[in-house]
Amino acid sequence: MLHSQPFGTDERCVLERIATGAPLPELLEDIVTLVEHQAGGMLCSILLLDREHKCMRPGAAPSLPPAYTRAIAGLSIGPAAGSCGTAAYRGERVIVEDIASHPFWSDYHQFALPHDLRACWSSPIFSAEREVLGTFAMYYHEPRGPTQQEIEWVDAATHLATIAIVRDQDEQALRRSEARLRQLINTSYEGICTVDSDWRITFANRRLAEMLGYSPPEVFGHSVLDFIEPAMREAVRESLAHWMQGASGQQELRLTHKDGSKVWTLVSGSPMVDEDGNYTGALGMITDISERKAAEQRQREAEHALERAQRMEALGTLAGGIAHDFNNILSAIAAHAELGRMDLDESHPASERFAQIHTGGQRASDLVRQILRFSRREKPHREVLQLPALIEEAVQLLRATLPRNIELRTHFAPDSPTVFADATQMHQIVMNLSTNAVHAIEGHRGHKGRIEMRTEAVSADDVTTPDLPAGQYVHLSISDNGCGMDKATMAHLFEPFFTTRAPGEGTGLGLSVVHGIIKNHDGVVTVESQPGHGTTFHLYFPAVDPDQLQTARDRAALVVTPGQRILYVDDEDTQLLLARRLLERLGYRVTTCTGGSQALAEFRARPEAYDAVITDNAMPGMSGLQLVEELHRLRPEVPVVIASGYLSSDDWQRAEQLGIDEVVLKPQMSAELGPALQRAMHPGLQEQPARTQQPAGATSD
């Protein structure tokens, strides 16, 4: 008995369930049940085509025996693969009126006949593109063919099945696409977000949330301005206004991390509109450019450092150009003063005046030397020194430049040991640390400033300073009552270019230079500081044996052999006259030559006649270093002293390569020439001051 009206009603119900998104297995079962209800004794099934493996998979068969359904599951399609396998293979309806005798079932009837399944008609389920999606089959318990009505039911059922299967495939494809898109967005290195027309965040991917230190849900609903540095918010408002008008653009923004730190980003934004073209919000792509910004900052700092180095190079070139001639003049002044004092009794009234002239020449020489060292044009000169005396010299300079509200105090222990140090670099340490102290005090307004310097003798066993090798030290402390520093600042204190001052107010090199000088002197520096409680720098310099304080002149005087012959070379007649008088007073016989060529000819004629050679370097024609090279070819072991007003860094290097024994910088000749000559002629006098215990890993300057 046919029930056409109920079929139409049930068909609409199935369509409604498809529209509401019911699961595919339920929909297929509804379709099968719909047809089975139309006539008694009819059993239906839907099989789905597995296109990849070319076989049939169960879709719905609520009335068929489960054992039969399991038996045919996964059977391959083919030209004679039962009713369903053949229909799927051929893409056309297959009607088998008797399963027992039909050739399509010859390999499969053993699955159907035990369940009394005798007839099977199967129709392909097609997509809109006529691709086979599956099959709809009718089974009967007796051999027979289909009626026209039954064929119409099957056609209606396959149409419903097509709609359900295609919709399910589309939904699966959509879900896969969404999953891929979600994975792409969440694994993207770029931050991605959307905002609505009120600039509230409606979506943020994982990367953007990580940039800001939040989870994605934590940023939803917040205004985008909440994460932008306040100083940049107005620019962002202007950009969002442009996006609302349909424009796109890029800008660099500094975002605020959850922990308060700043994150530099490049934000690319474009408007989002609805189907009517109305603005609904904006899409933003955010790139973290913090590393690039840091690299740019390092590049700027390097450029500034290079610019400063070039300025220093220019200053050094200028200083080196005048140093030689100026030191020749100073040498004449200092030497004549020294000779004049030697000619007079110490009680003579003019003796003190000659001493003052000599001291003035020394000070002028020190000034030139400081300029050369400041411009990196002179090699550091280390000698045995009393550190308190050096600090007192620097203090005298400081007192004249300190603000009136800053008091400078000094406490020098009377028993401070000597140190082996470069005087100019010790001055540089004191000046750099004092300058930092002044800035710290000025940044801590509302009270009177104080800078305090102390020296004392200490043993490594008496202090808890780490990395301080065993031995005796001179401890220099420089304290201030300024603003102090926190631990984060102290952690970067000695790094090059690190500064807490405003741009343009400091290079960040001062403390790194101090640290380098102390390390080169085998010393150690530590810092104590707290915000609001000032800062103390503790500097430890290795002490040297006080017995080494004996001057080189005293030691040289013990080994002078009267009558030794010296060849002295200079292009200045005044220098030749002064050198002859000085050396003859010390008991030497002196031959002078004006220039390198004349000296080379003299030496070539009598290479064994001279016990040592003293030569200027900067001379017309043949330089002093070129002369030494030629002399060594004639007599490699001849002792040589360079006496010059200036040596460049290249000259120092070349002198070391030539094995030159001693270098005396004018105008120190009157005091240093004799001792230097004796050290060159007697290498045993060149020993450096001894420490009570040399620190592990120490290197010579």
Side-chain angles (χ1 to χ4, degrees):
M1 183 177 181
L2 300 179
H3 305 283
S4 59
Q5 184 61 34
F7 184 91
T9 302
D10 290 343
E11 186 178 19
R12 286 192 296 272
C13 291
V14 172
L15 289 172
E16 289 175 359
R17 283 175 54 76
I18 293 174
T20 57
L24 180 63
E26 294 182 9
L27 293 173
L28 297 181
E29 188 165 323
D30 287 347
I31 294 170
V32 169
T33 303
L34 169 65
V35 177
E36 287 180 340
H37 285 173
Q38 305 310 306
M42 179 171 45
L43 308 176
C44 299
S45 75
I46 293 178
L47 296 179
L48 301 177
L49 175 62
D50 183 341
R51 189 172 299 278
E52 180 180 357
H53 297 94
K54 297 181 179 180
C55 65
M56 306 302 291
R57 305 291 185 188
S63 302
L64 285 174
Y68 173 72
T69 302
R70 289 193 297 270
I72 64 172
L75 293 180
S76 298
I77 64 174
S83 300
C84 296
T86 305
Y89 180 80
R90 293 184 174 184
E92 60 185 29
R93 181 180 289 119
V94 173
I95 299 174
V96 174
E97 296 183 357
D98 189 353
I99 291 175
S101 60
H102 200 285
F104 289 175
W105 281 85
S106 59
D107 294 331
Y108 304 97
H109 60 75
Q110 70 272 20
F111 301 131
L113 296 179
H115 301 287
D116 198 24
L117 300 176
R118 298 300 304 275
C120 180
W121 322 314
S122 183
S123 295
I125 301 172
F126 290 108
S127 68
E129 292 78 20
R130 297 295 294 176
E131 289 186 349
V132 176
L133 303 175
T135 58
F136 187 95
M138 283 185 174
Y139 291 85
Y140 274 91
H141 290 296
E142 68 276 358
R144 53 163 290 190
T147 66
Q148 184 59 37
Q149 180 65 73
E150 289 170 334
I151 291 176
E152 292 176 1
W153 289 338
V154 170
D155 289 342
T158 57
H159 177 67
L160 289 175
T162 296
I163 296 173
I165 294 171
V166 170
R167 178 186 170 279
D168 182 73
Q169 289 179 343
D170 290 345
E171 286 183 347
Q172 288 187 38
L174 179 61
R175 284 193 292 270
R176 288 193 298 270
S177 176
E178 289 176 343
R180 285 194 298 269
L181 180 61
R182 189 178 301 108
Q183 183 181 24
L184 177 65
I185 290 174
N186 282 325
T187 58
S188 171
Y189 187 73
E190 306 294 311
I192 302 172
C193 75
T194 58
V195 298
D196 62 19
S197 56
D198 294 324
W199 308 342
R200 290 188 301 269
I201 296 175
T202 55
F203 171 80
N205 73 336
R206 188 180 304 152
R207 175 59 179 152
L208 177 59
E210 289 173 353
M211 285 186 200
L212 299 173
Y214 297 90
S215 64
E218 286 181 294
V219 302
F220 293 169
H222 280 275
S223 170
V224 69
L225 299 177
D226 293 344
F227 303 102
I228 296 173
E229 189 174 80
M232 295 183 167
R233 289 176 182 173
E234 188 57 38
V236 174
R237 288 189 181 96
E238 293 178 2
S239 297
L240 290 170
H242 289 152
W243 295 345
M244 291 179 67
Q245 298 171 6
S248 299
Q250 277 188 343
Q251 64 185 132
E252 293 182 356
L253 294 176
R254 204 159 45 233
L255 306 184
T256 302
H257 193 275
K258 188 176 184 179
D259 62 10
S261 60
K262 304 302 179 183
V263 182
W264 269 107
T265 61
L266 176 64
V267 178
S268 303
S270 56
M272 297 191 305
V273 296
D274 60 19
E275 59 273 12
D276 297 323
N278 298 317
Y279 176 81
T280 60
L283 169 67
M285 302 287 289
I286 301 93
T287 305
D288 187 340
I289 59 172
S290 300
E291 282 299 320
R292 193 194 82 190
K293 283 291 186 179
E296 290 174 353
Q297 179 63 22
R298 290 192 294 269
Q299 177 68 20
R300 285 193 294 270
E301 291 170 350
E303 289 172 354
H304 292 159
L306 176 60
E307 187 178 327
R308 182 175 182 274
Q310 290 171 337
R311 291 198 301 267
M312 300 293 289
E313 182 72 17
L315 175 61
T317 302
L318 175 63
I322 66 173
H324 180 266
D325 293 339
F326 189 54
N327 275 336
N328 276 341
I329 297 171
L330 292 176
S331 179
I333 295 172
H336 276 297
E338 181 72 8
L339 291 170
R341 190 173 60 172
M342 290 179 179
D343 290 338
L344 298 175
D345 188 86
E346 289 187 4
S347 61
H348 194 284
S351 180
E352 179 61 26
R353 296 191 181 110
F354 279 125
Q356 291 298 324
I357 294 171
H358 186 270
T359 300
Q362 294 284 73
R363 288 177 178 170
S365 173
D366 289 342
L367 179 60
V368 174
R369 183 170 294 182
Q370 287 183 32
I371 293 173
L372 290 172
R373 288 179 184 171
F374 178 73
S375 59
R376 306 297 192 268
R377 286 294 178 136
E378 185 178 78
K379 189 175 181 179
H381 175 67
R382 293 173 67 175
E383 55 190 328
V384 178
L385 300 168
Q386 284 282 358
L387 193 56
L390 285 175
I391 297 172
E392 190 59 51
E393 291 178 10
V395 166
Q396 296 305 317
L397 295 174
L398 278 171
R399 289 190 193 279
T401 59
L402 286 179
R404 292 184 178 181
N405 68 317
I406 297 179
E407 178 186 6
L408 181 57
R409 301 177 185 175
T410 58
H411 304 275
F412 301 139
D415 59 345
S416 292
T418 54
V419 296
F420 189 57
D422 179 272
T424 301
Q425 290 186 334
M426 294 301 101
H427 280 201
Q428 190 174 6
I429 287 175
V430 174
M431 298 299 287
N432 282 4
L433 293 181
S434 299
T435 300
N436 273 22
V438 170
H439 283 285
I441 292 170
E442 290 176 342
H444 193 47
R445 304 183 186 278
H447 74 295
K448 185 176 181 180
R450 184 184 71 255
I451 299 175
E452 191 168 347
M453 302 183 189
R454 294 176 175 269
T455 63
E456 61 178 340
V458 299
S459 169
D461 297 332
D462 300 331
V463 296
T464 58
T465 301
D467 303 324
L468 191 65
Q472 301 298 315
Y473 292 84
V474 177
H475 172 213
L476 167 63
S477 64
I478 300 179
S479 306
D480 66 70
N481 63 341
C483 59
M485 297 176 286
D486 56 24
K487 291 183 179 180
T489 301
M490 291 173 64
H492 302 280
L493 199 57
F494 296 111
E495 294 179 3
F497 306 112
F498 175 77
T499 179
T500 57
R501 300 181 201 169
E505 295 185 6
T507 63
L509 291 171
L511 290 179
S512 65
V513 170
V514 167
H515 187 265
I517 291 174
I518 295 172
K519 286 293 185 184
N520 287 338
H521 282 75
D522 303 325
V524 173
V525 56
T526 62
V527 187
E528 291 181 285
S529 187
Q530 287 184 5
H533 292 82
T535 300
T536 299
F537 285 86
H538 296 279
L539 289 69
Y540 298 89
F541 296 96
V544 298
D545 189 342
D547 294 338
Q548 296 292 323
L549 195 57
Q550 180 186 23
T551 65
R553 171 181 288 183
D554 295 335
R555 287 179 282 134
L558 298 176
V559 294
V560 171
T561 303
Q564 290 177 310
R565 181 172 290 279
I566 307 300
L567 179 62
Y568 193 95
V569 189
D570 202 300
D571 62 324
E572 294 279 346
D573 292 337
T574 302
Q575 296 296 318
L576 294 173
L577 175 62
L578 291 172
R580 178 186 291 277
R581 294 187 63 185
L582 286 171
L583 292 171
E584 286 178 348
R585 281 181 178 271
L586 294 174
Y588 298 103
R589 291 186 297 163
V590 181
T591 298
T592 60
C593 291
T594 305
S597 298
Q598 182 184 354
L600 179 59
E602 169 65 25
F603 192 85
R604 182 179 284 119
R606 298 185 297 165
E608 301 298 331
Y610 296 99
D611 297 290
V613 177
I614 304 174
T615 179
D616 187 15
N617 182 50
M619 298 182 292
M622 181 180 290
S623 71
L625 293 174
Q626 290 172 332
L627 172 61
V628 172
E629 191 170 357
E630 295 299 325
L631 296 180
H632 281 173
R633 289 194 179 99
L634 297 171
R635 185 178 154 198
E637 77 282 1
V638 62
V640 176
V641 175
I642 295 290
S644 181
Y646 168 69
L647 288 180
S648 69
S649 57
D650 290 340
D651 292 336
W652 281 102
Q653 184 177 2
R654 184 60 182 146
E656 291 178 358
Q657 291 172 349
L658 291 173
I660 292 175
D661 306 278
E662 290 289 333
V663 175
V664 175
L665 295 178
K666 301 172 183 177
Q668 309 295 332
M669 286 175 51
S670 60
E672 297 183 8
L673 187 57
L677 182 57
Q678 285 302 307
R679 288 193 298 270
M681 298 170 69
H682 304 279
L685 296 175
Q686 299 184 52
E687 296 178 0
Q688 292 187 353
R691 288 191 51 190
T692 54
Q693 185 170 345
Q694 183 75 7
T699 58
S700 61
D701 185 47

